[in-house]
Amino acid sequence: MREAVHFTFDNISSEDMGVHIISLGEGLFQESFLPRRSIVEQRVANQNKPYHTRVDIEPLAFTLRVFISEWRERNNLRQIARWLFQPYYKPLTFDTKPGFILYAMVEGDSTLTHNGAKDGYFDINIRCNSPFMYSPATTTDIVQSRTSTTNHYSIYNEGDFVIKPKVWITKKIANGSISIINDTTDQTTTLTNLQFNEEIFIDFENEEIISSLENVNVYRYANHNNVWLEFQLDSNSLRFIGDFDIYFEYEFVYLAE
């Protein structure tokens, strides 16, 4: 990221704001290679070997130095401040890696360095909501699963980690049950007693199920087998059982480059 000149934050380009990234150093760029991790252990009396409990991974954090290249022409310092002073994490991309998204906020102190004649730059501290970078969301075409046909589908996970998708399902033909099988992970997600034309949304990462019939007090957690589908790295071979239409949305997760 250090070699980038322009960035986009909250879907607004730094070029449109009249600013760009600079580096006052010389020579090679230096940036984080892997997310910062802390090993958490417990020590037991009279044992030299600590007991490993978990690994905590810190969200990505870094500083940007931004030159106000069109300060005189635009006189838009307040507009720049409003753009960057967001109340929640917003998408952040760099021109050198446009297909990799961070979700970021400005935190801590920021400093403005200038000569009094509208020539200058500012430093801002960026903190992300995750240790990782993400691809743009991929939404698949609608797949029609029918009991009278063979229903196979493949999804390729090109990222560095297992991912859990969002899924939209519409029950077709008649009332009944449906299953989504990932033969790669040996997982089967099943929903029972769905009604004809009922629409179901499942967020497998957050373990959330929403039915279009909730307005008449129909909730589907009790009709779910509590298996939350995931996609392993590389190819995932899916099968569908039942009469329904389905499509997926997912983001690949990457170690920062």
Side-chain angles (χ1 to χ4, degrees):
M1 293 181 289
R2 297 295 184 186
E3 72 275 18
V5 175
H6 291 288
F7 63 97
T8 298
F9 181 64
D10 193 22
N11 300 312
I12 298 174
S13 169
S14 61
E15 290 184 272
D16 294 337
M17 301 300 291
V19 301
H20 64 264
I21 300 170
I22 59 171
S23 174
L24 298 184
E26 297 180 356
L28 299 176
F29 296 103
Q30 187 178 66
E31 55 188 316
S32 297
F33 176 57
L34 293 172
R36 182 178 179 181
R37 303 200 298 174
S38 300
I39 300 172
V40 180
E41 299 173 329
Q42 290 183 343
R43 291 193 173 272
V44 180
N46 302 318
Q47 290 192 14
N48 293 325
K49 186 177 180 180
Y51 177 70
H52 173 83
T53 57
R54 68 182 189 274
V55 174
D56 289 341
I57 307 177
E58 296 293 329
L60 292 173
F62 50 90
T63 299
L64 290 181
R65 177 158 288 172
V66 182
F67 180 63
I68 314 171
S69 53
E70 300 178 21
W71 194 349
R72 287 193 183 93
E73 297 87 346
R74 295 174 180 243
N75 193 28
N76 65 336
L77 201 59
R78 288 176 58 199
Q79 184 184 12
I80 294 169
R82 289 196 301 269
W83 167 49
L84 296 173
F85 196 72
Q86 296 293 335
Y88 195 68
Y89 296 101
K90 300 291 185 176
L92 171 66
T93 61
F94 295 90
D95 58 355
T96 52
K97 295 181 175 66
F100 294 82
I101 303 171
L102 299 168
Y103 294 92
M105 290 180 67
V106 175
E107 70 160 357
D109 296 330
S110 60
T111 58
L112 174 63
T113 303
H114 63 96
N115 63 0
K118 295 184 178 177
D119 291 309
Y121 63 87
F122 57 86
D123 294 317
I124 51 175
N125 299 311
I126 300 294
R127 179 179 170 87
C128 301
N129 68 344
S130 164
F132 311 118
M133 304 182 79
Y134 299 84
S135 72
T138 296
T139 302
T140 69
D141 294 332
I142 295 174
V143 179
Q144 293 183 336
S145 170
R146 299 293 182 266
T147 55
S148 59
T149 60
T150 303
N151 304 297
H152 292 279
Y153 195 72
S154 180
I155 288 179
Y156 189 87
N157 178 4
E158 67 174 43
D160 298 316
F161 296 94
V162 170
I163 57 176
K164 295 186 176 183
K166 295 181 175 68
V167 174
W168 287 261
I169 295 164
T170 303
K171 185 68 179 75
K172 293 295 183 180
I173 308 300
N175 298 352
S177 303
I178 68 164
S179 291
I180 310 166
I181 304 167
N182 187 342
D183 288 324
T184 304
T185 61
D186 198 26
Q187 291 177 298
T188 300
T189 292
T190 297
L191 287 165
T192 60
N193 299 321
L194 299 185
Q195 298 186 26
F196 173 61
N197 274 341
E198 181 179 354
E199 297 176 357
I200 299 289
F201 167 75
I202 307 177
D203 183 339
F204 284 98
E205 181 174 4
N206 295 308
E207 299 186 359
E208 179 182 19
I209 303 173
I210 299 175
S211 167
S212 60
L213 300 178
E214 288 188 0
N215 62 322
V216 290
N217 296 319
V218 174
Y219 301 93
R220 292 304 185 186
Y221 287 98
N223 301 102
H224 180 236
N225 66 343
N226 206 36
V227 175
W228 303 96
L229 197 70
E230 62 185 28
F231 298 151
Q232 295 288 333
L233 302 188
D234 302 326
S235 182
N236 291 262
S237 180
L238 307 181
R239 288 184 291 123
F240 306 127
I241 297 176
D243 298 305
F244 60 99
D245 294 347
I246 183 171
Y247 68 93
F248 298 84
E249 181 183 286
Y250 49 85
E251 295 176 306
F252 302 124
V253 183
Y254 306 100
L255 288 166
E257 291 191 355

